[in-house]
Each structure stands twice: as C-alpha cells, then as structure tokens.
Amino acid sequence: MAESTSSSIVINASPGDVLDVIADFAAYPEWAKEVKEVKVLAEDGDGWADQVEFTLASGALKDTYVLDYEWDVVEDGTGRVSWSLVSAQVLKAMDGSYTIAQDGDRTKVTYDLAVDLVIPMLGALKRKAEKQIVSTALAGLKSRVER
C-alpha cells in the first residue's frame, strides 16, 4: 500500500479477543460510527468473511462498497487482516490492514489505510481524511474490545 496512513493503539485484551471483534462484521454499526450497515457476501470454508459490503455515511462522504478480505492470522489471533476494494460508487481504491501483535498481556493493533476517491481531492485533504478514519476506527475498536 503506497502512501498509506498508519497508526497503532494498545488494547487491554488478548489478540484473539481483538480478532473476534474485527471479524464480527454484523456488529460494526455498533462501534464504527460511520458504518451504517454491513452484509457478509461470501465466506470461506473456515467461516472467515471473504467479501463484505459496507454502507458508509461520514459527513459528505456516503458510499456503499464491497471489500475483499485476506486473513493471515494464527490461532492465538496474531497476524494480519487485510482488505482491498472490489466495488464502490465514490471510492476508487481502499486498501488496508489490521496487524495484530502480542504486547505483553495486551495487544498492539496497527491500522494501515490507503484511500482514493473517484472525485479528485488534494493529497493533504485525502491524508487528513485517512487519518480521521484510522483514528476513529482504532478508538472504536479499543472501546468495543475493552467493554
């Protein structure tokens, strides 16, 4: 992911607990405030979601998009969950990942995100929007896992 925005947070929970929240797409509207609706479109044989449709409403940005997921995680929940854009109306690209790592008795989660819109946007504004998305997502994830 070239020129992505990245940020990390430490969560007071095990990697497995963090992974469980990341994988529970039906609950995203409860903790990811811009996500209004989520539908799992396809799953692999292990029950991991392969394709997920999101309906997003964040200020002026409203879109319904489909992401393709890759689950490179081990049994304890550590590893990497990544996604790439399959289809959208406003988004031209959305590639990202959560990297989940053990940090003592806590978990460090690093979120990388690269977004491109169909409508041209200044690079500085795009990075600011990415940083807001990443920050909000990590704070929501931490809050949901630690509740």
Side-chain angles (χ1 to χ4, degrees):
M1 287 180 302
E3 295 192 46
S4 65
T5 297
S6 182
S7 188
S8 297
I9 197 166
V10 175
I11 298 175
N12 295 313
S14 71
D17 289 342
V18 173
L19 181 61
D20 287 346
V21 170
I22 291 170
D24 184 7
F25 292 105
Y28 274 42
E30 297 172 19
W31 62 269
K33 66 182 181 176
E34 290 87 8
V35 176
K36 302 306 176 196
E37 188 177 351
V38 180
K39 295 178 194 165
V40 175
L41 302 178
E43 291 182 350
D44 69 15
D46 293 336
W48 296 109
D50 281 338
Q51 287 198 346
V52 182
E53 179 183 82
F54 294 85
T55 300
L56 177 75
S58 177
L61 177 60
K62 294 176 179 25
D63 201 2
T64 297
Y65 56 92
V66 176
L67 298 177
D68 187 60
Y69 278 83
E70 294 290 328
W71 302 86
D72 186 18
V73 292
V74 294
E75 196 168 320
D76 71 355
T78 59
R80 188 168 183 253
V81 178
S82 57
W83 57 89
S84 59
L85 186 68
V86 174
S87 64
Q89 292 140 12
V90 177
L91 295 167
K92 185 165 50 172
M94 178 184 262
D95 298 320
S97 67
Y98 284 112
T99 302
I100 305 163
Q102 188 76 46
D103 186 15
D105 60 350
R106 303 178 304 171
T107 301
K108 181 179 179 182
V109 179
T110 301
Y111 185 1
D112 292 292
L113 183 67
V115 175
D116 201 4
L117 302 173
V118 173
I119 302 163
M121 179 183 274
L122 292 175
L125 290 176
K126 187 171 75 161
R127 294 290 164 250
K128 184 176 178 181
E130 285 175 354
K131 286 180 183 180
Q132 180 63 36
I133 291 167
V134 169
S135 174
T136 300
L138 285 174
L141 177 63
K142 179 178 175 69
S143 176
R144 180 69 175 198
V145 173
E146 292 181 353
R147 68 180 175 117

